[in-house]
Amino acid sequence: MVLTNSERITGYNVPTGREVNAATELNLYIDVLFFINFTMDFLVLSIVRRAMKYRLIRWRLILGAVLGAAWAVFAAAFPYLPVLLEMAVTYLGVSTLMVMTAFDLKRPKDIGKGLIALYLAAVAVGGIMEFLYQHTKAGYYIEQILRGNTGKAIPFYQLIFLGAGSYFGIRVMLRWLPGLWKAKSNFYEVTMHYRGKEKKVTALLDTGNRLFEPVSRRPAHVVTYEAVRELCESVSEVVYIPFGSVGKSNGVLPGIFLDEMEVRQGDDVRIIEKPLIAVSKKALSSSGEYQMLLHDE
């Protein structure tokens, strides 16, 4: 249709016989679309796992990425789904399945945290990809691959190397940054295990902690009563650990032997079997920043 000066005056806009059919045909290669989405989903899930310190289960991570890529292919193959339905399935249904599958999450609170981390990681990666698309030839090459113009597209093996290099480059950064933080931090994430229960707390490495059980000379880690109240509702054995502090030279703290304690900082994890914890009714941090003092031995 050829328009004249005013599109509101319909009498002016009459067929001339010279109209152009502007329809565009786009060949969509499902295998390429699946591969690209799988790669990006795997990258995003890997970033989430490292940021949230989830346990690595490779087959779950791969399956989570497969779910995301499969939905992307389905949505592309059937583009007539209502927009609201597609958004709900993508951002709630499929995303939830991805984090539950990849990280074996079951509790609603943990799933919610995983979803938020997934969205943040996706936004970060999306921002990087948008920058590359707008300011480099990466976007052009990817578009040519999707259109099937193999003559103009980057060779497939180079795309594989580029993707692998980007992935491992990000992994190196994620390994390096926590290491840099570790050098400046004495804080740890500690998971205490006792009779099938577990409790996570934030711990401070206390180089001045000199508490030992007097008979076995086992080092004692100090934890607040509030932190272990639900974990150790009933105990079979209690030992008493003498301590001295300003204003109290002959005090004692009740001690409990846990089943296991996992001490984590970044990618470094240390398992302590049968750790001894001394329970303090007083808060260890006025701001509540940490709930445990780790022994330095």
Side-chain angles (χ1 to χ4, degrees):
M1 185 73 72
V2 178
L3 298 180
T4 58
N5 293 335
S6 176
E7 61 181 353
R8 295 183 180 179
I9 305 177
T10 57
Y12 282 107
N13 302 322
V14 295
T16 65
R18 293 183 286 111
E19 292 80 16
V20 178
N21 184 1
T24 301
E25 180 179 346
L26 177 63
N27 294 322
L28 184 63
Y29 290 82
I30 297 298
D31 54 345
V32 177
L33 180 65
F34 180 88
F35 174 78
I36 292 176
N37 277 274
F38 170 81
T39 302
M40 296 308 301
D41 288 340
F42 187 85
L43 173 61
V44 170
L45 289 172
S46 297
I47 293 173
V48 172
R49 185 199 69 80
R50 190 166 295 275
M52 299 297 289
K53 301 174 184 176
Y54 292 133
R55 187 161 58 100
L56 174 60
I57 306 177
R58 285 188 175 83
W59 71 267
R60 281 189 167 276
L61 207 64
I62 292 172
L63 185 57
V66 167
L67 287 174
W71 169 248
V73 170
F74 180 85
F78 300 95
Y80 308 109
L81 293 174
V83 175
L84 291 179
L85 176 61
E86 183 177 343
M87 291 179 63
V89 174
T90 301
Y91 296 111
L92 293 178
V94 176
S95 298
T96 300
L97 285 176
M98 286 175 65
V99 297
M100 290 178 64
T101 302
F103 310 122
D104 194 22
L105 303 180
K106 296 181 176 64
R107 296 189 302 177
K109 183 178 180 180
D110 294 335
I111 295 171
K113 290 181 179 179
L115 276 175
I116 293 173
L118 181 69
Y119 296 150
L120 292 176
V123 168
V125 173
I128 295 173
M129 295 300 294
E130 178 67 17
F131 174 83
L132 293 175
Y133 186 91
Q134 296 293 339
H135 301 284
T136 71
K137 290 186 177 182
Y140 170 79
Y141 288 136
I142 293 174
E143 183 177 351
Q144 297 307 314
I145 291 175
L146 290 175
R147 289 179 178 273
N149 298 331
T150 55
K152 297 181 180 180
I154 186 173
F156 196 70
Y157 74 91
Q158 291 186 20
L159 180 65
I160 295 294
F161 282 122
L162 179 62
S166 301
Y167 171 71
F168 286 108
I170 293 176
R171 286 199 60 176
V172 168
M173 289 182 61
L174 290 175
R175 283 180 179 273
W176 177 73
L177 289 176
L180 182 64
W181 171 253
K182 177 182 176 181
K184 301 179 180 179
S185 174
N186 285 325
F187 288 97
Y188 294 78
E189 180 186 274
V190 175
T191 304
M192 299 178 289
H193 298 270
Y194 186 70
R195 294 183 176 179
K197 296 182 180 180
E198 67 175 47
K199 175 70 175 181
K200 289 186 178 181
V201 296
T202 300
L204 174 68
L205 179 62
D206 184 8
T207 56
N209 184 351
R210 293 293 180 265
L211 290 183
F212 292 91
E213 196 276 322
V215 177
S216 64
R217 298 300 297 170
R218 294 279 297 274
H221 313 277
V222 184
V223 66
T224 62
Y225 170 74
E226 291 296 327
V228 295
R229 181 176 58 180
E230 296 180 359
L231 179 69
C232 305
E233 292 179 329
S234 62
V235 296
S236 57
E237 180 184 4
V238 177
V239 298
Y240 290 93
I241 305 164
F243 76 97
S245 63
V246 177
K248 193 170 186 178
S249 57
N250 296 313
V252 291
L253 290 174
I256 305 169
F257 286 98
L258 301 179
D259 297 331
E260 184 181 271
M261 195 163 73
E262 180 182 298
V263 182
R264 178 186 295 270
Q265 188 181 64
D267 283 339
D268 296 333
V269 181
R270 183 163 63 100
I271 304 297
I272 303 176
E273 299 289 343
K274 297 295 181 181
L276 175 61
I277 60 169
V279 182
S280 171
K281 288 190 175 182
K282 294 183 179 180
L284 301 177
S285 168
S286 58
S287 62
E289 190 176 8
Y290 54 89
Q291 301 80 43
M292 175 181 279
L293 294 175
L294 284 175
H295 202 286
D296 63 349
E297 288 194 7

